[in-house]
Amino acid sequence: MDLTVSAYVTYLAISVGLTVWVARTLSRNGRVFLADVLKGNEQLAEAVNHLLVVGFYLVNLGFVALYLKAAEAVADTRRLVETLSVKLGVVLLVLGVLHLANVFVLNKIRRRGVMEREQLPPVAPQGWTEPSPATGV
């Protein structure tokens, strides 16, 4: 097996492994966050979590597949390490950007929910206070 094929196999193994690890970590730790965003609706939080994980897999594995081809043949071990480091570095950056985008969107949704909850008074109004005649207000 030549070094180019070795680079492909190593790249795919590490990239798929990283994608699975990141997706599982985000899924496991994101459940609580999603439950808060969705106002405690655990069933909906679980469904949204699953959909986010599927989307995460599709985008990342699609990118990994598209980014597989090496620009030139890998001739020696040095070139193998360089090619792998560039490819894996780009995959890690894409994983990080997608993670940050996910957190940003969910945080926006969460903030909207918190603001809606804060607009409700803590107790129902109990009556009306007449304006003071001294201030005219």
Side-chain angles (χ1 to χ4, degrees), residues 25-99:
T25 301
L26 294 176
S27 172
R28 182 176 47 253
N29 296 319
R31 281 190 181 104
V32 175
F33 184 74
L34 281 171
D36 181 47
V37 168
L38 300 171
K39 300 174 185 153
N41 188 340
E42 294 289 333
Q43 191 173 7
L44 181 59
E46 188 62 36
V48 169
N49 193 27
H50 185 71
L51 290 173
L52 286 172
V53 168
V54 169
F56 187 81
Y57 278 130
L58 289 173
V59 170
N60 283 298
L61 294 177
F63 176 76
V64 165
L66 287 173
Y67 200 61
L68 175 66
K69 185 176 180 189
E72 11 179 286
V74 179
D76 56 9
T77 306
R78 184 180 132 242
R79 181 67 87 187
L80 174 72
V81 172
E82 289 173 352
T83 301
L84 283 174
S85 70
V86 168
K87 289 194 168 298
L88 292 174
V90 171
V91 167
L92 288 171
L93 287 173
V94 168
L95 284 170
V97 167
L98 286 174
H99 167 63

